[in-house]
Amino acid sequence: MTSGHVGQHGRALLTEPAPVAERPPVQRVVEVAGRRPVGAYVELTLAAPEVAERAAPGQFVAFAVGGPASAMLLRRSIAIAGAADGQVTVVVSPHGAGSTWLAGLRPGDAVDVVGPLGRPYPMPSPGTPALLVGGGYGAAALVGLAGELRAAGSRVAVVSGAASADRLCSGEELTALADPFVVTTDDGSAGRRGWVTDAAAELVGGVGVVYACGPMAMLRAVAEQATAAGVPSYVAVEESMACGIGVCMTCVLPVVGADGQTRFSRSCTEGPVFGGDRVRFADVGTLTADVVGADAMGVVA
């Protein structure tokens, strides 16, 4: 791996995600300031000024779920969709018991939250045209990034896709920031019928950097498209982060470092943002012989 990329627009870009901010995350019991349904999801706004002050696009917060008497001990990690004016916004997809409990919170309820956590998206040189690709509620995590890129003089193209119209997210916010803003759905119920990668393929050649957030299969496909086009990409991975602070090791991925060596990197601390060409997507969930430390675990080539 090289230590830097130069896009077709001639601007040197970062290849490693930005370092974690020196200011540590905070843990607070905060109040839910707002709640609104967003298609199949629920958007929660939290009165969390200390978290909002530290947050950057790509980072996440971890919630204690179920209340103080709950048997659900593990936190639920949710990407930050917005942070401003002392408030933090997240979009929750009700699925299991923990996320369903979160989605059921009402204004005035209290919730224990730790954040901001993880590494944010790195910013390119000012004015670098960017392509942002969001899958489902992963699009919410791109709103703040799109705003920062626009403020830095970048032209921002966005592709947002989902299985169906009710699974799309943050369309109104992204429409105001993107040119163009392309919507795709698998069933054709909104925008173009097809996958986000179909639309991304038409745009990737005209940008200097690609950012993505969504399901792992989508991230892999977008990263491969960017690499084939000679464009650096940064992906916010969707891995189960049980602790959110790098202790439990449940969210490790095989990631190639700047030295060319593959190590298991924690999505919650070394990520969730990684260089798209650094994640070995094909080897996620396996232990290959060339991963640093594999020999100590008895794995042989």
Side-chain angles (χ1 to χ4, degrees):
M1 293 291 174
T2 60
S3 59
H5 292 278
V6 177
Q8 62 180 14
H9 295 271
R11 297 182 176 91
L13 300 169
L14 300 172
T15 57
E16 298 294 338
V20 176
E22 292 183 3
R23 298 182 68 182
V26 297
Q27 178 177 359
R28 292 287 184 271
V29 175
V30 302
E31 181 178 306
V32 177
R35 179 190 189 275
R36 69 180 181 112
V38 182
Y41 315 116
V42 173
E43 181 187 87
L44 296 176
T45 301
L46 312 172
E50 291 177 281
V51 179
E53 181 186 10
R54 293 166 166 80
Q59 293 186 297
F60 64 96
V61 290
F63 292 93
V65 295
S70 173
M72 293 186 285
L73 300 179
L74 302 179
R75 290 181 176 266
R76 300 302 187 272
S77 297
I78 310 286
I80 295 172
D85 302 323
Q87 296 185 325
V88 172
T89 302
V90 297
V91 174
V92 182
S93 176
H95 181 65
S99 57
T100 299
W101 180 88
L102 270 178
L105 292 174
R106 301 288 172 176
D109 287 345
V111 62
D112 184 303
V113 62
V114 178
L117 298 168
R119 295 176 184 266
Y121 287 109
M123 292 292 289
S125 301
T128 301
L131 170 62
L132 280 56
V133 184
Y137 65 99
L142 300 175
V143 175
L145 175 64
E148 289 199 4
L149 288 166
R150 282 286 300 271
S154 292
R155 178 178 61 82
V156 177
V158 175
V159 179
S160 177
S164 55
D166 65 319
R167 295 283 169 179
L168 294 166
C169 187
S170 303
E172 183 177 344
E173 295 88 344
L174 290 169
T175 297
L177 295 166
D179 181 22
F181 176 60
V182 182
V183 172
T184 68
T185 50
D186 296 357
D187 62 2
S189 54
R192 294 169 46 174
R193 185 185 186 94
W195 294 351
V196 291
T197 47
D198 298 332
E202 300 169 8
L203 298 170
V204 68
V207 301
V209 62
V210 175
Y211 300 95
C213 184
M216 291 292 277
M218 186 208 84
L219 298 182
R220 177 181 181 177
V222 171
E224 289 175 349
Q225 285 181 327
T227 299
V231 178
S233 64
Y234 300 96
V235 298
V237 299
E238 281 197 349
E239 280 294 291
S240 178
M241 303 177 195
C243 74
I245 57 174
V247 175
C248 69
M249 305 298 287
T250 61
C251 63
V252 295
L253 296 171
V255 178
V256 180
D259 61 357
Q261 295 291 305
T262 298
R263 296 173 178 82
F264 278 122
S265 297
R266 297 164 295 182
S267 300
C268 63
T269 51
E270 284 82 47
V273 175
F274 294 103
D277 61 343
R278 299 295 179 90
V279 180
R280 290 174 51 169
F281 288 103
D283 296 319
V284 172
T286 67
L287 176 58
T288 60
D290 63 334
V291 172
V292 173
D295 54 345
M297 292 179 271
V299 179
V300 295

